[in-house]
Amino acid sequence: MLFWAILISTVVYAQNTTIRHQVWLGAVQQFHIKGKWGLWLDEQYRTWDNLHNKVSTVAIRIGVIYQPIKDLRIVAGYAYFRIFPLNGNLPAPHEHRGWQMIQWTLKTPKMRLIQGIRTEQRFRERIKQNKHTAKYAFNHRFRYNINATFPFRKANAFQPKSLAYTIGNEVMFNVGKEIIWNTFDQNRAWIGLQYQINPKLSLQVFYMLLYQHLPQPNQYLLSNNIRITLQYQQ
């Protein structure tokens, strides 16, 4: 999948493609509440370009986790996104999302494999004459994610103060009557390092290649991203 994303990137350079270099910062927390129930919380911060040029997106996502068996999680919740225009004089539209996810985890002494299917109901505010309208466009989005992590040393694999490398991919598709040009939304492919700080807390530093078909015909985005995520799992 990573090879597929890189291959696409070489093709779209010859088309109407915007190239960006972004930083994505995130914190993801999963808390156990009681029995099979838990809470999901994550926050995101993304820059526009040149790794540091202005904030593009801030987001918060919350959800309720139900874990019927040890390695299966079902999550449902709400997310709020604020997308800031590159031109600071324009209003930043609001986006509200419902989201649901099924996530499988496979753990062996040599590997951690996580797969997830996520659905989203996206309500994106319309901006008219540079003003908020409180009217929203709507579409569904479907996402499939796979991520594999491998330890550098078997002796202390996935233990505190251990280092591992990660490779993964996520593909997304849009569905809805307002979706015309971009049924295929985007592909994200990444590779990077994971440092296990303690049994519950890890730090991930990835390079991520994002290829996206924008809502306009024959308009694409290719973004080289540094993605840094602090992850807590209880």
Side-chain angles (χ1 to χ4, degrees):
M1 291 184 180
L2 180 61
F3 172 78
W4 178 80
I6 295 173
L7 180 63
I8 286 177
S9 73
T10 64
V11 175
V12 298
Y13 268 111
Q15 304 179 19
N16 298 321
T17 305
T18 299
I19 310 296
R20 292 202 178 113
H21 304 84
Q22 300 177 307
V23 171
W24 290 22
L25 303 178
V28 180
Q29 303 106 63
Q30 298 178 53
F31 302 98
H32 177 254
I33 298 175
K34 185 178 180 180
K36 298 180 179 181
W37 296 93
L39 179 66
W40 180 294
L41 174 65
D42 73 64
E43 305 89 21
Q44 305 289 330
Y45 173 95
R46 303 170 187 171
T47 63
W48 257 113
D49 202 0
N50 298 325
L51 300 181
H52 67 279
N53 184 19
K54 297 183 179 181
V55 57
S56 71
T57 305
V58 293
I60 184 168
R61 185 183 286 110
I62 59 174
V64 175
I65 302 170
Y66 177 67
Q67 192 168 0
I69 58 177
K70 182 179 178 181
D71 296 323
L72 177 66
R73 294 188 174 207
I74 301 171
V75 191
Y78 163 79
Y80 171 76
F81 280 68
R82 195 78 183 272
I83 314 297
F84 294 90
L86 188 56
N87 183 343
N89 296 322
L90 299 177
H94 305 277
E95 180 175 335
H96 305 278
R97 300 181 188 177
W99 67 286
Q100 304 81 37
M101 182 174 69
I102 298 177
Q103 187 180 78
W104 301 269
T105 302
L106 173 65
K107 296 182 179 180
T108 75
K110 299 180 180 180
M111 180 184 67
R112 297 288 187 270
L113 180 68
I114 299 175
Q115 298 182 76
I117 296 174
R118 182 181 298 185
T119 61
E120 297 174 319
Q121 302 78 47
R122 302 180 66 190
F123 296 85
R124 293 168 288 116
E125 186 185 23
R126 300 182 188 272
I127 300 296
K128 188 175 182 179
Q129 297 179 344
N130 294 335
K131 293 182 180 180
H132 294 278
T133 64
K135 297 180 180 179
Y136 292 84
F138 173 77
N139 72 275
H140 295 275
R141 185 164 70 176
F142 298 91
R143 307 167 59 159
Y144 170 70
N145 176 300
I146 184 168
N147 187 86
T149 304
F150 306 90
F152 280 102
R153 295 178 58 192
K154 296 179 182 179
N156 65 339
F158 306 110
Q159 298 301 310
K161 299 183 180 180
S162 67
L163 192 64
Y165 67 93
T166 292
I167 186 169
N169 195 88
E170 184 171 32
V171 62
M172 308 181 194
F173 294 92
N174 293 313
V175 176
K177 64 180 182 179
E178 299 192 30
I179 302 300
I180 300 174
W181 305 104
N182 60 330
T183 298
F184 166 75
D185 179 46
Q186 61 183 273
N187 192 87
R188 301 174 182 177
W190 58 87
I191 187 168
L193 299 175
Q194 174 175 295
Y195 179 70
Q196 194 70 38
I197 299 171
N198 60 44
K200 299 179 180 180
L201 186 66
S202 63
L203 177 66
Q204 300 171 338
V205 181
F206 298 159
Y207 164 73
M208 183 176 75
L209 177 67
L210 184 152
Y211 165 60
Q212 183 175 14
H213 192 314
L214 299 176
Q216 301 78 18
N218 300 317
Q219 298 293 320
Y220 303 88
L221 170 66
L222 184 67
S223 184
N224 297 287
N225 299 341
I226 296 174
R227 187 165 188 169
I228 303 172
T229 302
L230 193 64
Q231 192 161 32
Y232 176 86
Q233 184 169 334
Q234 196 173 43

